[in-house]
Structure formats: structure tokens, C-alpha cells
Amino acid sequence: DVVCVAVDPSDSRRVYLGSFSHGIVELYNEKVVNVYERYNSTLTPVTGWNAYVFVSGLAFDKKHNLWAVNCEADKLLSMKSDKGVWTSYNVGAGAGYTGRLVIDKNDYKWIHMRDGSFIVFDDTKYKTVSTAEGHGGLPGTGNCCAVDSKGTVWAGCAGHAVYFNEKTGVNGIIRCNNKDIDQAECFCEVDGKILIGSSDGLTVCDMTSKESFSIDLSKRYSKLTNIIRNGNHIWSSTNNGIVCIDKKDLKNHNDAAIKKPFTSFGGLFI
């Protein structure tokens, strides 16, 4: 199964697919040109299960290095340099079950762990961000994280959506209509606003003021699990299929029209 995608920022014809079977598949002009597994990279199989290489997250840094999260491997993080040289890194939690990867404005790598914590790596050392005292101050177990265009890191947690200060940890908790945002699962940036998908539906938060309001998708389309933008439209997977919203409807009201409902989904990539 393909579970993550990274597009080469210097050449959009080159795309990398992370899979839960054969490591990383490299495409160029929609044709397979490389498959990176145990024999031609530092990626390693699942501990005790040599038939499969799991890659749960992919992202490029500012130096055009491709980073990969090697799920359930002894060394969870691998990097393919701009020159094609592979290096692996021990970031703790060896053989841990991992999720997605994001890279912030400082080129710090944020790995979502399935236990609800995050591992942050700066190329030399790592730190765990979790609910434990002295570890960043997460108000609940983490579900996902994202980086906006200003470099702010956002995290969706059980019961909260938060944003970080790189030095002090959690810098603020987003509330909507004086209520916490329950089970924040996904983020998307649109014209200076952060869209937060959760089990409550869709929340729109201004990136500067941090003021927020909700968009009513009706009870039929709750539990948002993925949001992406394509042009003037925002697409989201929900508990009842895929919905599409025009970005002009992202105003301070709660009656945005659902433009296009679909009835099945597995994930969203554009």
C-alpha cells in the first residue's frame, strides 16, 4: 500500500511514493525509475519480518535531501542526499510504529509516533514531544502535525488543536465557540487560514490572530480525517465519503455549501 507522497521541489515530474511493502518507489514522468529497499538504500525491513520495508513518511528539506521514516526499523529515519547518498539515523524508539513526517522552517524533522508523541530531530540530536512533563506540553495524545507557510508547527491532539513555539513547546490551544476542538486529525492552509479537520467537523483559524470559527458540514459529514487544497476547492475525506467546498465559502459563518459529495475514499493526494 502507498501511504505517503513527496514531490521533488526542483522537478515536479519526479515523485516519490512511500509504501508499506517495497520501501520507496521513484517515478519520473509517471514511470517507475527506481525502487529503494534494503539492498540499495539504508532502509531496512520490519524487525523480524524481512519481506517488507515500511515507509510511513516522506519530505524534502531546504538542501533538497529526501527524508524517509522507516517504520518499525531499528533506525527510524533515513536520508537520501541531493547527490544520492543514503544515511540512516537513530532517533530513539527503535522498531517503533510511526506515522507521517513534516519538516519545519529550521529543517527540524517531526515524526508522528503512533503512541501519540512526536520525535523532533535537528540532524544531530532528537527530542520527544509528548504529554509528559518537560516534553513540550502536549495537552493530549497527538494525531497529526503540519507546518504552515510562516513556519509554525501545528499539532492535532485528542481534544485539542495546538501550535508550537520552537523554544518553549506548545504556544497556544485553539478553541472554537468557547469549546475545545475534539480529535483534531488534519490541517490545510488556505489564504492565511488554517483549516482544522476533526471529529467535530471543520474549523477555520486565522494564522495571525488565531481567532477561529466552525463550518457546518451537517452531521452527515463529520469526523474529517484528511484535507487538501486544489485550486479554489478544498477536498476532505469524512466518515461518509469525500466532500468539496469552494474556498469563497470559508467566511465567518457556519453554512458553507457542500459542493460535491462522494461515497467512498481511502485517502487524498494531489
Side-chain angles (χ1 to χ4, degrees), residues 38-51:
R38 61 187 300 187
Y39 299 110
N40 61 347
S41 73
T42 54
L43 300 172
T44 59
V46 176
T47 302
W49 197 13
N50 290 334

Side-chain angles (χ1 to χ4, degrees), residues 228-240:
I228 59 173
R229 176 183 177 177
N230 184 29
N232 290 325
H233 294 91
I234 294 91
W235 298 79
S236 180
S237 52
T238 76
N239 63 320
N240 201 35

Side-chain angles (χ1 to χ4, degrees), residues 6 11 16 35 41 80 97 138 140 150 155 168 182 206 227 263 266-267:
D11 186 350
Y16 295 86
V35 178
S41 73
K80 183 175 85 72
Y97 202 71
L138 282 183
K150 295 183 178 180
T168 61
D182 188 36
D206 185 276
I227 306 175
T263 56

Side-chain angles (χ1 to χ4, degrees), residues 160-255:
H160 303 278
V162 302
Y163 55 98
F164 286 89
N165 178 295
E166 60 194 54
K167 295 182 180 180
T168 61
V170 171
N171 196 36
I173 296 176
I174 302 301
R175 295 171 61 85
C176 186
N177 301 327
N178 293 318
K179 297 192 305 181
D180 292 327
I181 298 172
D182 188 36
Q183 291 294 346
E185 293 277 358
C186 51
F187 296 91
C188 177
E189 181 179 340
V190 178
D191 297 345
K193 297 179 175 64
I194 293 293
L195 310 187
I196 305 169
S198 71
S199 59
D200 291 330
L202 183 63
T203 299
V204 181
C205 178
D206 185 276
M207 288 168 55
T208 302
S209 69
K210 302 301 188 291
E211 294 180 355
S212 59
F213 59 90
S214 62
I215 295 289
D216 185 8
L217 300 180
S218 82
K219 293 182 179 179
R220 183 181 177 191
Y221 299 104
S222 59
K223 298 182 180 179
L224 275 64
T225 56
N226 206 341
I227 306 175
I228 59 173
R229 176 183 177 177
N230 184 29
N232 290 325
H233 294 91
I234 294 91
W235 298 79
S236 180
S237 52
T238 76
N239 63 320
N240 201 35
I242 295 174
V243 297
C244 178
I245 301 172
D246 195 301
K247 75 170 188 176
K248 66 181 176 59
D249 287 321
L250 300 177
K251 301 175 182 177
N252 197 353
H253 58 67
N254 61 0
D255 57 354

Side-chain angles (χ1 to χ4, degrees), residues 2-240:
V2 173
V3 298
C4 56
V5 177
V7 178
D8 189 329
S10 66
D11 186 350
S12 61
R13 294 170 295 181
R14 192 178 305 279
V15 179
Y16 295 86
L17 309 176
S19 72
F20 266 29
S21 55
H22 297 292
I24 300 171
V25 178
E26 180 184 354
L27 306 177
Y28 193 76
N29 277 337
E30 301 181 2
K31 295 182 180 180
V32 175
V33 295
N34 264 311
V35 178
Y36 297 104
E37 296 185 280
R38 61 187 300 187
Y39 299 110
N40 61 347
S41 73
T42 54
L43 300 172
T44 59
V46 176
T47 302
W49 197 13
N50 290 334
Y52 297 101
V53 176
F54 286 6
V55 173
S56 65
L58 290 169
F60 280 91
D61 65 18
K62 293 178 181 178
K63 298 178 181 177
H64 197 245
N65 301 313
L66 176 67
W67 292 81
V69 179
N70 194 179
C71 181
E72 295 195 68
D74 289 331
K75 293 185 177 181
L76 292 180
L77 199 57
S78 281
M79 182 267 288
K80 183 175 85 72
S81 74
D82 186 42
K83 298 185 182 299
V85 178
W86 284 87
T87 308
S88 60
Y89 297 88
N90 182 356
V91 293
Y97 202 71
T98 56
R100 299 294 176 86
L101 167 71
V102 300
I103 299 179
D104 67 18
K105 64 181 179 181
N106 298 307
D107 267 349
Y108 294 173
K109 290 77 188 173
W110 293 68
I111 305 169
H112 177 221
M113 303 298 295
R114 293 298 176 91
D115 66 1
S117 65
F118 299 97
I119 293 175
V120 185
F121 179 61
D122 68 357
D123 295 358
T124 58
K125 59 185 181 298
Y126 64 88
K127 181 177 181 178
T128 299
V129 176
S130 69
T131 57
E133 185 176 352
H135 287 269
L138 282 183
T141 54
N143 298 321
C144 63
C145 64
V147 181
D148 67 28
S149 60
K150 295 183 178 180
T152 300
V153 177
W154 299 70
C157 304
H160 303 278
V162 302
Y163 55 98
F164 286 89
N165 178 295
E166 60 194 54
K167 295 182 180 180
T168 61
V170 171
N171 196 36
I173 296 176
I174 302 301
R175 295 171 61 85
C176 186
N177 301 327
N178 293 318
K179 297 192 305 181
D180 292 327
I181 298 172
D182 188 36
Q183 291 294 346
E185 293 277 358
C186 51
F187 296 91
C188 177
E189 181 179 340
V190 178
D191 297 345
K193 297 179 175 64
I194 293 293
L195 310 187
I196 305 169
S198 71
S199 59
D200 291 330
L202 183 63
T203 299
V204 181
C205 178
D206 185 276
M207 288 168 55
T208 302
S209 69
K210 302 301 188 291
E211 294 180 355
S212 59
F213 59 90
S214 62
I215 295 289
D216 185 8
L217 300 180
S218 82
K219 293 182 179 179
R220 183 181 177 191
Y221 299 104
S222 59
K223 298 182 180 179
L224 275 64
T225 56
N226 206 341
I227 306 175
I228 59 173
R229 176 183 177 177
N230 184 29
N232 290 325
H233 294 91
I234 294 91
W235 298 79
S236 180
S237 52
T238 76
N239 63 320
N240 201 35

